Each structure stands twice: as C-alpha cells, then as structure tokens.
Amino acid sequence: MIYRELGNTGEKVSILGFGAMRFPTIGGKPDQIEEVESNKMLEYAIENGVNYIDTGFPYHSATTTEPGQSEPFIGEFLNRGYREKVLLATKLPSWIIEKKEDMEYYLDLQLKQLGVDQIDFYLIHTIIQDYWNLFKELDLAEFLDNIKSDGRVKYVGFSFHDEFDLLLEVMDHYEWDVAQTQMNYLDENYQSGLEGLKYIGSQNVGNIVMEPLRGGNIVENIPADIMNIWDKSPIKRTPLEWAFQYLYDMEYVDVVLSGMSSLEQVKENIAIANTGYPNTLSDEEKGIIKEVALAYKKKKANGCTQCGYCMPCPEKVDIPNCFKEYNIAMMLDNPEASAMQYFSLIKEESLASNCINCGKCTPHCTQMINIPEELEKVKNLFES
Ligand code: SF4
Ligand code: SF4
C-alpha cells in the first residue's frame, strides 16, 4: 500500500480509502447490509493497509433524511479492535440542516451511531450554492471551531459538488483540513474539476477524491471502440487499473475513495494501490487516456458547453445543468445514475419539466441547440 501525507494534518493515509456506501445488501435493500461479507471486506482492507474509512449519515438508508445503516455497522466493526488502526470520516447531512442546533444534533447522533467519542474527519456533506448560503447564515465557522476545540472532531472538511468559483469561496471561508471533490478522467471539467483539485493541493489542504470510477461506469460494460483505444497502449492495463492510475499519478491527490461492493473488488483495488506511485504515466499513456475521454464525450447527446448564455430562463429552468446530467447519462449509457445527480443537484423548480416552450432561450444558444426540444428529451429520460 502506498501512503501519502494528508495536507497539513500530518496524517499518513493510504492512497486507497474505503468508501462505506456500497456494501453488499440483502435482497437489494439499501438499508440491509449483508454483514458477513461486509465484515470480511473491511478486515481484508485494513489488514492490507487501508487506513481511511469514509462513511456518511445517509449511506445505506432507504431515504436521504433517515440515518443509514453504514454508520452503526462501521461503528460496531471498529469497536472489535480496529478503531486505532484507521482514520474515521463521516459527514454532516447538509440537506437536512435548517438551524444552528441541527448541526449539533446530527453530530451528536452520528457520534452515538458510530459508538466513538471522536470522529477523525468530519466533513460538511455535498456543498452546493444553496446549502452554502445557509451555512454562512448559521455561522458554520463557529460550529467548526467548537467541535474541534471540544474534541468531538479532530479535523474538519467538506465534500463538494459545485463549480470552481464556489470552491474558491468555500476554501477561503475557513482553515479546512481536507476537501473532497469528484475526479476521474471524464470529469476534468465537471464541477470544480481539475482546476479545483490543483487548487486544493496548492493550499496544502488534504485532497480527497471521490467517484474515481464514475459510479463504475468507466470500468463496466466498456464499449468496443473504447477498448480498442486502451488496447493500443504498449503497457497493458485493465480499465480499472487505468482509472486508478490516472488519479494516483497526480502527486497532489492524497486519497482516492472507492465504494466497494465485494471482497473481490477490495482485493483488486488494493493490488492496484500497491503500485499507486505519482508521475508514472508516460506522455503516450496520458495521450491514450485523453483519447478515451474524448471518445466517451463524443457519445454525448447534445453539444451543450455549459456556457450559460441561454440563462436566465424566465421559468427558472436550469438549462446548462439539465443538459449536463443528460449528456453524462447518454455518454455512459446509465440514466439511473445520472437521474440521482439530476434530482439531487437541481432544484425541483429548475428541472426540465418546468419549460413552457416559450422559445426565449434558443436564439442565445452558442451551439444552436433547440433547447425546448432537448429539454423535452431530458424530462422524458429522467422525470417520466
Ligand atoms: S423555452 Fe423553456 S427553457 Fe427556454 S426560456 Fe422558455 S421556458 Fe425557459
Ligand atoms: S447557450 Fe446553449 S450551449 Fe450554452 S448553456 Fe445554454 S444550451 Fe448550453
């Protein structure tokens, strides 16, 4: 296992972190973790060097507002002699917070669920503009100061799902220990993207990456044209190895979270993490990764570049983001995964179904997209 120093914290973290949101379940029910297999996965991971475990309030819950089973399951597991061997991370459920006391309430509930006196890394979950506006009103900085000074939390951070400008604002707002953003070779320009990842690294804030496999989409059911590009490489790697090596190659990435669902996946991922050195990819190999990314991107449904010239829509439709999730769904042939993003990142009043076909936006489109017609397709794909 390769270890890297997590920003300014001084903690040495395994390059592969265990994301505790996709354990095997009984009968496909998210709130019923298959505990025997899941215990084996955690034991194997820790015995083979993984020392960062990332859970969250809604993980393995039937809804995002009820406490999930991941935290209590992880708590029970760690209390069987593993607590001192790992760094434990969990997150404050931003979408439920309405007032200052809610932050205290959920942290205390999570400490109880985990059966610990202290959480190593406490992240504000899924920062997007709306949640951030509220957190500023609620004096988040004071809450973070308090929970660090009274010892309930050792380090604080945030996970992020918005654009680079907001990332800069959030980063400047507090002396964070860690920041968690989405990255894989398809997402260099998605949300805060590569620019955000580099900025976090430049500030010496612990740099945690999520979605390294884009929810599994870039390692499963690979189209033949994509496989042909991978096969051109002189150094042969599986799509899984390419996906991880792309991230491990970046020296400013400290830990890559993977939500594993079987013991086999844990073994495969650990084997790759044992070779996870930075700066190992040649220019030719980086070129092949870029070629694969481009081939995926050509599968997009429309050419929206998210320029925003069509905005604002008088009906408040969030045209760029509707198209963003639609294009990703078509590119990866996985509408279910994109639908989750669509409904969680776009407000209900801004979904495609709010379009009344007034046509005011279309003349402004830099890509000459027939916007209402395309929004109809978005609606049919995600909202039907
Ligand atoms: S056509 Fe639809 S998206 Fe475009 S401005 Fe009118 S309501 Fe908004
Ligand atoms: S103007 Fe066209 S390309 Fe730009 S965000 Fe709107 S739909 Fe997309």
Side-chain angles (χ1 to χ4, degrees), residues 54-59 64 71 89-110 119 121-127 131 135 138 140 143-144 147 153 157-159 176:
D54 169 77
T55 182
F57 177 84
Y59 294 169
T64 54
E71 284 182 345
T90 193
K91 312 182 196 77
L92 177 74
S94 307
W95 52 92
I96 316 179
I97 304 302
E98 290 176 354
K99 49 192 188 306
K100 222 168 176 174
E101 305 84 73
D102 292 344
M103 299 193 275
E104 294 286 342
Y105 171 81
Y106 283 104
L107 170 58
D108 288 338
L109 177 63
Q110 290 175 283
I119 293 164
F121 292 91
Y122 196 55
L123 281 74
I124 310 304
H125 205 160
T126 306
I127 286 193
Y131 302 154
F135 278 128
L138 299 182
L140 177 68
F143 169 72
L144 297 174
I147 63 177
V153 164
F158 60 92
S159 73
W176 302 98

Side-chain angles (χ1 to χ4, degrees), residues 312-315 317 319 354-362 371-372 375:
C313 157
E315 299 300 316
V317 177
I319 303 167
N354 294 291
C355 173
I356 58 163
N357 199 1
C358 72
K360 286 186 182 145
C361 53
T362 304
I371 295 175
L375 285 172

Side-chain angles (χ1 to χ4, degrees), residues 16 49 51 55 86 107 136 146 190 193 201 239 245 255 285 313 317 325 332 336 368:
L16 176 69
N51 73 350
T55 182
V86 297
L107 170 58
K136 282 190 293 185
N146 289 345
Y190 181 70
Q245 193 55 61
V255 54
E285 289 169 294
C313 157
V317 177
E325 300 309 332
L332 298 173
E336 289 81 12
M368 289 183 280

Side-chain angles (χ1 to χ4, degrees), residues 28-198:
K29 293 185 182 145
D31 53 351
Q32 292 190 23
I33 295 174
E34 207 288 89
E35 296 195 356
V36 176
E37 175 79 354
S38 302
N39 276 315
K40 281 187 203 158
M41 290 162 63
L42 283 167
E43 278 162 20
Y44 185 91
I46 294 169
E47 277 157 19
N48 287 276
V50 172
N51 73 350
Y52 189 95
I53 296 187
D54 169 77
T55 182
F57 177 84
Y59 294 169
H60 286 287
S61 169
T63 72
T64 54
T65 49
E66 297 293 320
Q69 290 307 302
S70 178
E71 284 182 345
F73 173 70
I74 292 289
E76 260 178 46
F77 174 83
L78 293 182
N79 285 332
R80 293 206 308 270
Y82 288 101
R83 178 66 189 101
E84 300 312 315
K85 296 182 178 175
V86 297
L87 295 160
L88 174 62
T90 193
K91 312 182 196 77
L92 177 74
S94 307
W95 52 92
I96 316 179
I97 304 302
E98 290 176 354
K99 49 192 188 306
K100 222 168 176 174
E101 305 84 73
D102 292 344
M103 299 193 275
E104 294 286 342
Y105 171 81
Y106 283 104
L107 170 58
D108 288 338
L109 177 63
Q110 290 175 283
L111 284 161
K112 206 167 145 198
Q113 291 221 107
L114 288 160
V116 295
D117 297 326
Q118 186 180 55
I119 293 164
D120 297 312
F121 292 91
Y122 196 55
L123 281 74
I124 310 304
H125 205 160
T126 306
I127 286 193
I128 55 175
Q129 186 73 61
D130 284 358
Y131 302 154
W132 181 243
N133 294 343
L134 180 64
F135 278 128
K136 282 190 293 185
E137 278 174 32
L138 299 182
D139 201 353
L140 177 68
E142 185 191 44
F143 169 72
L144 297 174
D145 283 345
N146 289 345
I147 63 177
K148 277 181 93 166
S149 65
D150 67 22
R152 281 178 289 170
V153 164
K154 196 167 180 190
Y155 304 108
V156 295
F158 60 92
S159 73
F160 189 80
H161 284 285
D162 212 311
E163 302 298 321
F164 181 65
D165 287 351
L166 183 64
L167 181 82
L168 286 183
E169 186 189 326
V170 174
M171 287 285 288
D172 278 354
H173 189 83
Y174 193 76
E175 215 170 299
W176 302 98
D177 298 301
V178 293
Q180 184 171 316
T181 57
Q182 174 165 334
M183 183 50 58
N184 55 70
Y185 56 77
L186 289 184
D187 284 339
E188 290 189 349
N189 299 306
Y190 181 70
Q191 297 179 353
S192 52
L194 207 48
E195 204 179 7
L197 205 60
K198 286 181 182 166

